[in-house]
Amino acid sequence: MTSITGESQGRRPTPVPSPQYASTGLDVWTMMNQVAASVNAVNLGQGYMSFPPKEFIKRAAQEALVESTHNQYAPPRGRPGLLEQVGIHFANRLSRPIDPSSELSIHAGANEALLSVFTAFLEHGKGQEVILMEPAFDQYTPNIIMSGGNPVYVPLRVQAGDKDPSKEVISSHDWKLDMNELEAAINENTRIIVVNTPHNPVGKVFSREELEQIGDIAARHNLLILSDEVYEHLTYGVEHISIATLPGMWERTVTVGSAGKMFGVTGWRVGWSVGPAELIQPTLSAHTRIVFTSNTPLQEGVASAFRMAKENDFLKIQCQEYERRRDRLMAIFDDIGLPYVVPDGAYYLLVNAKAIKIPSDYSFPDFIEERGENFKLVYFFIKEFGVSGIPPTEFYSEPHKHLANDYIRFAFCKTDEGLDEAAKCLQSLKRYLQDTS
């Protein structure tokens, strides 16, 4: 006889989790960080800054914490001071007036802003689809699925003319989106196209022509554009263009940004969404049910950081510092003899490591072996050379993972000392290089 508690013959039933979250496998960030820690490797993997924020940014947060009124709930839309500053920033960025009371929402990081948009515009059980351009940031897919949607993947493809990416340096602009392939992926169930520019992990900054073509396709099929522009302030010799500035695009675009990326404070978890009131209101409604509000003192800290950044010419100086770090990391791989993709934006370098010869008898743990060749390549890199990266196959769906098998993603949001140490560690790599001809 079964008891009222569900026990039968001495066995107690256990709750069953959702299949989506039943797996106990490590996420790629935790996995590679643990491997790196096991050999005390230089961590060029995860995209967090290994240097402290500027003093005026830290001081802004400290001063916000002292004010008693900054320690209670903020309005779900956001603190007035931060809404004002983000509104000023985007009025300049988008060359249009922004109403902070209706066209902005503050979020618990850009990732929560993305989730709020997906939640607001996708319905469960309707088979609605979202177009992602691969490689695609790994949070997009689970956010879409949690919101009831189905991700559909269209890869960027290398078109570098006569250049062989396994032997020669190429540009991030050589990674092209086939517009015919994009349009062929659209059907009556498609609701959203996600645009990421500057792009993680390629570093591609989409050109005006490319954005116009994407915009034309979105307009033709009446699709929402979700534009992830968290690296908007980090471009090197090229112009970042927000797709919302193109004719007819403001009305169908939600633009997402990040204080963590802008001010080097990824742990603060403050982001925002910007767009017409008709798109931001449902996004805000979803945000209110997901987290209710973002933390108050750090919203005030970001507002102060915005104000002081203008006085310090911070964003321009920061971009120059990142460009110097980028050039330093590229020089390291030039010296070693491994080609890479020159990023026009963001702070990642994709290195083509096809020339590395892993010994045939090299032993890999099961948790690496089961994830495929790219994970094995990165694991070997960490264990043997003491420098960690991220396997970019994690940014691809299964049918397209082969496109990234030869690459490793490195982050250059690191100290000079860290990059110098990586240069020393990587000297031992040369003995593993083979002729790829």
Side-chain angles (χ1 to χ4, degrees):
M1 180 177 179
T2 302
S3 73
I4 195 170
T5 60
E7 294 182 39
S8 177
Q9 298 180 344
R11 290 178 297 175
R12 185 183 298 275
T14 58
V16 179
S18 160
Q20 186 179 348
Y21 299 104
S23 170
T24 57
L26 290 176
D27 65 271
V28 66
W29 317 104
T30 302
M31 179 188 298
M32 292 307 168
N33 282 341
Q34 289 182 358
V35 175
S38 73
V39 294
N40 197 28
V42 180
N43 196 332
L44 304 187
Q46 196 167 2
Y48 64 84
M49 295 73 182
S50 63
F51 45 83
K54 300 296 184 184
E55 284 300 320
F56 79 88
I57 298 172
K58 292 191 291 184
R59 189 167 60 251
Q62 292 164 352
E63 292 174 355
L65 282 168
V66 173
E67 174 56 55
S68 296
T69 60
H70 294 169
N71 291 285
Q72 305 305 323
Y73 293 125
R77 185 181 293 277
R79 294 284 295 185
L82 181 54
L83 288 167
E84 178 186 27
Q85 289 302 311
V86 176
I88 292 170
H89 173 77
F90 275 95
N92 293 329
R93 166 70 73 188
L94 304 180
S95 299
R96 64 176 299 120
I98 299 293
D99 183 353
S101 69
S102 63
E103 297 177 335
L104 286 176
S105 177
I106 304 302
H107 295 267
N111 188 44
E112 190 263 310
L114 295 165
L115 177 60
S116 294
V117 175
F118 291 135
T119 302
F121 289 93
L122 295 173
E123 294 184 69
H124 286 263
K126 296 293 184 68
Q128 296 176 344
E129 297 178 351
V130 179
I131 303 292
L132 298 178
M133 302 170 199
E134 293 183 309
F137 179 52
D138 71 328
Q139 291 283 16
Y140 294 156
T141 290
N143 282 356
I144 292 165
I145 293 172
M146 280 195 294
S147 303
N150 299 318
V152 175
Y153 305 97
V154 180
L156 300 175
R157 300 184 186 276
V158 175
Q159 298 178 20
D162 295 332
K163 288 185 176 181
D164 181 345
S166 70
K167 300 176 184 177
E168 299 174 79
V169 172
I170 64 171
S171 168
S172 56
H173 191 63
D174 292 327
W175 291 60
K176 303 287 189 181
L177 177 65
D178 184 324
M179 299 299 167
N180 292 327
E181 189 173 5
L182 171 64
E183 190 149 24
I186 295 171
N187 58 47
E188 66 277 5
N189 294 319
T190 309
R191 293 294 181 269
I192 303 172
I193 296 178
V194 177
V195 176
N196 177 207
T197 182
H199 187 277
N200 171 20
V202 174
K204 176 184 177 67
V205 178
F206 281 79
S207 68
R208 182 179 299 275
E209 179 183 5
E210 289 173 314
L211 293 174
E212 287 174 344
Q213 291 176 311
I214 294 169
D216 287 345
I217 292 171
R220 199 154 52 241
H221 296 276
N222 192 27
L223 304 179
L224 172 69
I225 296 173
L226 176 51
S227 191
D228 179 352
E229 301 182 18
V230 299
Y231 302 101
E232 60 171 280
H233 57 293
L234 293 176
T235 59
Y236 316 114
V238 298
E239 179 188 11
H240 167 65
I241 299 169
S242 292
I243 195 168
T245 63
L246 302 182
M249 289 300 106
W250 165 257
E251 293 78 8
R252 65 175 63 255
T253 302
V254 176
T255 303
V256 167
S258 164
K261 298 298 192 295
M262 182 171 286
F263 294 110
V265 288
T266 57
W268 288 19
R269 310 308 297 147
V270 176
W272 43 79
S273 60
V274 184
E278 296 78 11
L279 302 183
I280 294 302
Q281 184 54 54
T283 299
L284 173 61
S285 296
H287 158 75
T288 304
R289 295 305 167 211
I290 294 170
V291 294
F292 181 60
T293 185
S294 179
N295 76 82
T296 298
L298 292 182
Q299 285 194 52
E300 290 295 331
V302 173
S304 295
F306 262 114
R307 287 189 288 268
M308 289 185 283
K310 299 183 186 75
E311 300 171 10
N312 294 305
D313 207 13
F314 169 71
L315 293 179
K316 179 180 178 181
I317 294 171
Q318 178 181 243
C319 188
Q320 292 169 344
E321 292 172 346
Y322 272 91
E323 187 168 12
R324 179 178 53 77
R325 294 186 184 103
R326 179 199 70 161
D327 293 348
R328 172 68 177 124
L329 188 57
M330 292 192 304
I332 291 170
F333 285 102
D334 284 334
D335 176 64
I336 293 166
L338 283 182
Y340 48 83
V341 180
V342 179
D344 287 334
Y347 48 63
Y348 306 104
L349 188 72
L350 280 182
V351 173
N352 192 305
K354 185 177 181 179
I356 294 178
K357 175 64 174 177
I358 301 176
S360 59
D361 59 350
Y362 197 85
S363 178
F364 295 96
D366 289 344
F367 71 89
I368 292 292
E369 190 81 46
E370 67 188 15
R371 300 295 288 272
E373 295 303 312
N374 194 229
F375 274 68
K376 290 162 68 174
L377 174 63
V378 175
Y379 179 88
F380 180 78
F381 217 93
I382 298 172
K383 284 288 193 176
E384 297 304 315
F385 312 130
V387 178
S388 72
I390 291 294
T393 52
E394 192 70 4
F395 294 72
Y396 284 87
S397 59
E398 196 61 41
H400 299 141
K401 285 185 184 294
H402 67 279
L403 296 172
N405 266 341
D406 296 331
Y407 287 98
I408 303 175
R409 192 200 78 166
F410 296 100
F412 52 86
C413 49
K414 308 298 176 181
T415 62
D416 291 341
E417 293 78 11
L419 295 176
D420 289 343
E421 182 62 25
K424 294 176 185 176
C425 293
L426 290 172
Q427 289 302 310
S428 61
L429 182 154
K430 293 178 181 179
R431 71 178 185 270
Y432 288 97
L433 295 182
Q434 63 180 339
D435 185 358
T436 58
S437 59

